[in-house]
Amino acid sequence: MNNDLDLLHPYPFEKLNALKTEVQAPTDVEHIALSIGEPKHAPPAHVVEVLQNNLDKLANYPSTKGLPELREAIANWCRHRFSLKRLCSETQILPVNGTREALFAFTQAVINRSDNPVVISPNPFYQIYEGAGLLAGAEMVYLNCDASNDFIPDFDSVPESVWQRCQLVFLCSPGNPTGAVLNLEHYRTLLTLADKYNFVVASDECYSEIYFDENNPPLGLLDACIQLNRPDYKNCVVFHSLSKRSNLPGLRSGFVAGDETILKKFLLYRTYHGCAMPIQHQLASIAAWNDEQHVLENRRFYQQKFTAVLEILDGVLDVEQPAASFYLWPETPIDEKDFAQQLFARQNVTVLPGSYLGRENSGVNPGSRRVRMALVAPLDECIEAAQRIKTFVKSL
Ligand SMILES: Cc1ncc(COP(=O)(O)O)c(C=O)c1O
């Protein structure tokens, strides 16, 4: 077996399950999970209908590059959402089966393991970045994101010797778990470094459509490229998904877009990897990318939940509405693992200890003394959970 498999950490939910089995939850109240980032709002009916009406396509092999109509629908969405004048559906877009597999596969395609590679990741982070980097033979370098840097990686803190070995930088904006959003200056700093040291920037933007100010959607990396006069998106690739935008995590549908030289090689990799999107999923995805109404409603639902929950937690926990995403990332008055365990034991509510999403780096784990709460459950359940959290915190 591949020895690098031994480098992989247990997934956060495995650790969480182990933590919970040490205690017994009360049986007189229903369990509420705020731990998993799985959207629970209804998927758009018209998308489901397209899927159902096209089950006969099961009889055909899909192509890795995807249907031209899907790539064109994605290009249109990107041009509209990110004010891109040019994004070529033929060379600058590839459909993927959700961003999880794409982030992983992309890393394998990009990293040259014989060159002593480094992959840079925010810390805390979506766990796939680390697993992908380690299995590609890279050393992971983490940039702590905490309140002192507004949860944004400090690229200026990276030594030159690390940049010289760096082959790939992961961005996550809006961030999971912090909800922080990168601005043009952050992108400018990083892209100046990318030009100097010739590394690839993989920007995970799967929460880009969960925001709260309709007049100020999160800036994406391709947006930033245009504003920074990089019309070819050199060294830049973005990752987008229908999972959160359209409540379709089971469709496994997303795309990558950006630098055509990189995507040409990634397509070659994917041809052998064997991860073409089923045709009926592609047709359903076209229906999803072509519609914004359901996305707007989705944002309204999340805003309602944030407003209600934050009102209850006001003065109870140190917590703020994030710039975007559906997570709260509050500070905990006690150790975050104890907090999660005791909250489960006393109130049957599950939250995720922040330290499970981070690594100790420079002597601290920036996820410690924080928990992640995903406001994915229906409004009444989120309110009930917030009330139980309030009762729990007051009892400490
Ligand atoms: C930051 C981040 N990136 C990527 C993903 C993967 O999403 P999907 O594979 O459904 O597109 C997730 C899922 O939770 C996530 O939180």
Side-chain angles (χ1 to χ4, degrees):
M1 295 295 288
N2 182 344
N3 286 338
D4 289 344
L5 285 168
D6 297 333
L7 301 172
L8 299 180
H9 291 252
Y11 216 66
F13 295 107
E14 255 178 76
K15 295 188 199 170
L16 180 62
N17 286 340
L19 187 77
K20 285 167 66 178
T21 51
E22 290 169 10
V23 291
Q24 182 68 48
T27 49
D28 56 336
V29 281
E30 288 280 313
H31 177 243
I32 304 179
L34 301 182
S35 43
I36 304 181
E38 181 185 65
K40 297 276 186 241
H41 303 164
H46 75 286
V47 175
V48 177
E49 205 179 300
V50 174
L51 186 65
Q52 282 166 341
N53 290 343
N54 283 284
L55 290 179
D56 58 325
K57 309 296 185 302
L58 285 167
N60 303 102
Y61 273 121
S63 76
T64 307
K65 191 168 170 178
L67 298 169
E69 303 90 292
L70 172 60
R71 282 181 279 109
E72 196 43 49
I74 293 169
N76 275 334
W77 181 78
C78 286
R79 287 186 207 117
H80 173 258
R81 166 64 175 83
F82 298 114
S83 323
L84 308 178
K85 281 193 209 76
R86 183 178 171 270
L87 187 69
C88 175
S89 64
E90 192 50 33
T91 57
Q92 293 176 313
I93 290 172
L94 281 179
V96 297
N97 288 319
T99 44
R100 183 178 182 139
E101 71 85 359
L103 289 159
F104 183 85
F106 186 74
T107 309
Q108 312 314 306
V110 163
I111 296 299
N112 188 1
R113 62 168 62 226
S114 59
D115 238 0
N116 200 15
V118 157
V119 169
I120 294 185
S121 165
N123 188 30
F125 55 91
Y126 180 53
Q127 303 292 293
I128 302 306
Y129 310 154
E130 178 188 70
L134 294 174
L135 286 181
E139 180 189 334
M140 293 302 297
V141 169
Y142 304 102
L143 300 185
N144 289 358
C145 300
D146 56 27
S148 75
N149 50 31
D150 294 327
F151 307 103
I152 300 290
D154 178 7
F155 303 116
D156 291 329
S157 69
V158 178
E160 166 134 37
S161 57
V162 171
W163 286 126
Q164 278 162 348
R165 291 173 53 209
C166 179
Q167 295 186 14
L168 179 64
V169 173
F170 281 112
L171 300 178
C172 188
S173 176
N176 170 5
T178 67
V181 170
L182 297 176
N183 66 27
L184 189 63
E185 286 317 303
H186 303 132
Y187 289 116
R188 190 197 305 275
T189 304
L190 185 63
L191 293 178
T192 305
L193 289 158
D195 285 341
K196 185 165 176 196
Y197 297 103
N198 197 28
F199 55 80
V200 174
V201 181
S203 185
D204 178 355
E205 301 180 0
C206 75
Y207 292 94
S208 68
E209 304 316 291
I210 316 285
Y211 55 89
F212 309 106
D213 179 355
E214 288 300 325
N215 298 319
N216 193 20
L219 183 70
L221 175 63
L222 298 189
D223 251 342
C225 284
I226 296 301
Q227 294 187 37
L228 297 170
N229 200 20
R230 307 168 65 95
D232 56 357
Y233 313 116
K234 183 169 181 275
N235 280 336
C236 294
V237 175
V238 295
F239 294 71
H240 280 270
S241 172
L242 289 176
S243 300
K244 326 285 178 186
R245 172 188 182 267
S246 301
N247 304 313
L248 290 164
L251 191 66
R252 310 310 302 127
S253 178
F255 68 86
V256 296
D259 185 328
E260 66 184 29
T261 315
I262 297 174
L263 292 193
K264 191 172 173 199
K265 288 281 175 68
F266 189 38
L267 174 60
L268 174 67
Y269 178 92
R270 293 180 72 71
T271 307
Y272 283 86
H273 181 47
C275 47
M277 191 190 299
I279 295 170
Q280 66 277 14
H281 290 220
Q282 295 192 48
L283 296 172
S285 303
I286 293 172
W289 290 116
N290 281 345
D291 180 56
E292 265 329 285
Q293 194 52 38
H294 73 277
V295 189
L296 198 69
E297 271 163 34
N298 204 32
R299 279 198 287 276
R300 282 206 203 105
F301 287 146
Y302 282 118
Q303 180 62 78
Q304 274 177 355
K305 293 196 273 188
F306 274 105
T307 305
V309 166
L310 287 170
E311 201 178 298
I312 296 165
L313 295 183
D314 185 28
V316 175
L317 284 175
D318 192 350
V319 61
E320 280 174 20
Q321 176 159 316
S325 88
F326 52 53
Y327 297 111
L328 287 175
W329 184 236
E331 280 191 50
T332 53
I334 57 173
D335 173 90
E336 74 288 350
K337 293 186 283 304
D338 294 342
F339 185 96
Q341 193 178 50
Q342 289 306 310
L343 178 64
F344 176 67
R346 294 199 219 161
Q347 296 289 345
N348 212 359
V349 173
T350 305
V351 296
L352 188 64
S355 53
Y356 292 179
L357 294 168
R359 295 284 172 257
E360 187 161 326
N361 177 37
S362 309
V364 303
N365 181 328
S368 62
R369 282 287 179 130
R370 288 187 183 268
V371 288
R372 191 187 75 176
M373 299 176 180
L375 298 193
V376 289
L379 176 64
D380 55 344
E381 259 186 58
C382 286
I383 290 176
E384 167 71 20
Q387 270 152 353
R388 289 196 221 163
I389 291 167
K390 181 173 175 174
T391 307
F392 167 68
V393 173
K394 296 248 158 174
S395 74
L396 289 175

